[in-house]
Amino acid sequence: MTAGVGSFEGFEGSFDDPGDPSAEVLAEAAAAFGLLASSARLHLVWALAQGESDVSGLAERVGGALPAISQHLAKLKLAGLVRSRREGRRVVYLVDDPDVVTIVRLMVGQLADRRSGAGASAGAGAGRLRGLGA
């Protein structure tokens, strides 16, 4: 994610009186959310939020094929959400934007809490968002 989204540059106002963000900020946010709309990429960011890993470790953790995981990582890297570094022959990936980790943890955590919450009302809302993607 670029600095504009992570630090809210171009955002007029504060969270107490938010006003409207600029069109550029909204476009950057939509692009970042679009990348995270893939459950595979979301899982990769979630896994990398727990600690850095190489492609093989990520493929094993998220259950994907190496070429697919590599492609997802390339997209996340191009967007600035993750970065990589070489350790000998290995390429290790890590989250490059801590604000993205906060957003992912908040969303996934809230949905997980709804699913595991007691009572029918918690379970009833758990699938609300499923199938609403564009």
Side-chain angles (χ1 to χ4, degrees):
M1 190 176 288
T2 64
V5 175
S7 63
F8 295 97
E9 284 176 20
F11 188 76
E12 306 300 327
S14 68
F15 285 107
D16 294 330
D17 178 22
D20 287 335
S22 70
E24 183 178 287
V25 168
L26 288 171
E28 288 182 49
F33 282 124
L35 277 171
L36 295 174
S38 159
S39 60
R41 286 191 290 272
L42 186 61
H43 197 173
L44 287 169
V45 172
W46 179 266
L48 289 171
Q50 314 309 310
E52 56 191 41
S53 182
D54 64 6
V55 178
S56 298
L58 289 167
E60 186 176 313
R61 180 164 180 182
V62 305
L66 284 174
I69 298 301
S70 293
Q71 286 181 348
H72 287 306
L73 287 167
K75 288 180 181 183
L76 291 168
K77 187 175 176 182
L78 187 61
L81 300 180
V82 301
R83 65 184 166 99
S84 65
R85 72 169 194 283
R86 278 214 167 278
E87 282 187 358
R89 296 179 67 189
R90 284 180 17 162
V91 176
V92 176
Y93 290 86
L94 57 150
V95 174
D96 198 29
D97 190 335
D99 292 333
V100 170
V101 172
T102 302
I103 292 166
V104 168
R105 284 184 174 159
L106 178 66
M107 177 59 91
V108 173
Q110 288 291 319
L111 293 172
D113 286 349
R114 286 182 193 167
R115 285 197 164 272
S116 66
S121 63
R128 253 187 309 201
L129 298 176
R130 198 174 308 124
L132 293 179

